[in-house]
Amino acid sequence: MYYWILLVIGVLATAVFLTLRVKRGGIAALYAKAVASLCFIATAVAATNHNRSFLGFGSFVTFGLICGLLGDVWLDLKWIYLQDKDSYLYSGFIFFLIGHISFVAAEYTASPYTKGSIIVSVLAALVFAVIAVNLEKPLKMHYGKFKWIVFLYSFMLALTMTTAMVTAYITGFQKMWVVMSIGGLVFLLSDLVLSGMYFGEGKNTKFNIILNHTLYYAAQFTMAATILCAK
């Protein structure tokens, strides 16, 4: 009951944030973004309270979402305090990186993983990270001094998705792992759009802002929903 109420509030808060972000920006949009992010954390807490058998899984997912909120704040401050934008961008990367480490930790608390499944998921994530970095020039992006953290983050981002996908396969596509795979995929798509906005030329458009944040919040709410689906 509480989960669904918080989810509705979260969707509405996200819509308000997107409106402010596109029309006004600034501190007002940052506050609205923080509220929307608090909502996906709240849905995770409600889901964990409902599904207490998976307390460890829920705790790791919730911590990952909290890191997402903090990463959101740092990345938005990048646009407000331009003189310190590199520091805020690094901070955003680091907190989202920690968030994905927490998501992967959550997956391994509940996954019936094997050595083979670990190897496949890690290799697939590594391939994605290598491709992401090497597509810099073809996609007309410039990572510069951020290239190393782009690679590291891309690996952990992909690992969240590949671990869920491989686990979904070995469990006969159990609901929680299918949902988490979708969350990981949507998260990846969101960051692909964001990467173009940050490191490409002429891609920081209103359309991409809306697309990026729509995908991002869909991903975070989906990650929170995995706790409710856990069995």
Side-chain angles (χ1 to χ4, degrees):
M1 179 67 175
Y2 291 118
Y3 170 85
W4 297 107
I5 293 172
L6 290 167
L7 179 60
V8 171
I9 293 172
V11 172
L12 294 175
T14 302
V16 171
F17 157 66
L18 285 173
T19 301
L20 289 174
R21 177 68 176 81
V22 172
K23 291 188 175 181
R24 295 175 57 184
I27 294 294
L30 178 59
Y31 287 153
K33 188 174 190 179
V35 171
S37 297
L38 279 172
C39 288
F40 61 61
I41 294 171
T43 62
V45 172
T48 302
N49 184 61
H50 177 78
N51 197 2
R52 297 184 184 183
S53 298
F54 284 81
L55 182 61
F57 177 81
S59 297
F60 276 119
V61 171
T62 302
F63 182 73
L65 296 174
I66 291 171
C67 288
L69 182 150
L70 295 172
D72 281 340
V73 172
W74 296 127
L75 291 181
D76 264 21
L77 288 174
K78 170 185 183 293
W79 301 110
I80 297 172
Y81 301 105
L82 297 177
Q83 69 275 15
D84 297 315
K85 63 180 182 179
D86 287 355
S87 296
Y88 288 124
L89 183 54
Y90 270 123
S91 297
F93 263 120
I94 290 168
F95 275 95
F96 275 110
L97 177 63
I98 295 171
H100 281 288
I101 291 173
S102 190
F103 288 149
V104 173
E107 291 169 335
Y108 282 114
T109 64
S111 170
Y113 60 87
T114 63
K115 287 184 180 179
S117 70
I118 293 174
I119 291 171
V120 170
S121 59
V122 169
L123 287 178
L126 186 60
V127 168
F128 174 83
V130 170
I131 291 173
V133 170
N134 282 283
L135 282 177
E136 178 183 11
K137 289 184 179 179
L139 295 180
K140 297 180 180 179
M141 293 193 288
H142 180 66
Y143 296 138
K145 59 186 176 182
F146 297 101
K147 193 168 187 175
W148 70 273
I149 200 165
V150 167
F151 174 81
L152 189 59
Y153 176 71
S154 296
F155 171 73
M156 287 308 306
L157 169 67
L159 189 60
T160 297
M161 179 186 70
T162 58
T163 300
M165 287 182 169
V166 172
T167 304
Y169 177 77
I170 66 175
T171 58
F173 299 99
Q174 287 182 0
K175 185 178 180 180
M176 69 177 290
W177 300 113
V178 172
V179 172
M180 200 157 199
S181 297
I182 293 170
L185 176 60
V186 178
F187 215 129
L188 187 148
L189 293 174
S190 167
D191 281 342
L192 286 177
V193 176
L194 188 64
S195 180
M197 292 167 60
Y198 279 1
F199 301 111
E201 294 183 8
K203 295 182 179 180
N204 191 25
T205 62
K206 288 185 178 180
F207 175 79
N208 280 341
I209 289 171
I210 294 172
L211 178 61
N212 164 245
H213 285 100
T214 299
L215 290 170
Y216 169 71
Y217 278 97
Q220 295 286 50
F221 280 112
T222 302
M223 296 302 284
T226 61
I227 305 169
L228 202 64
C229 299
K231 289 184 179 180

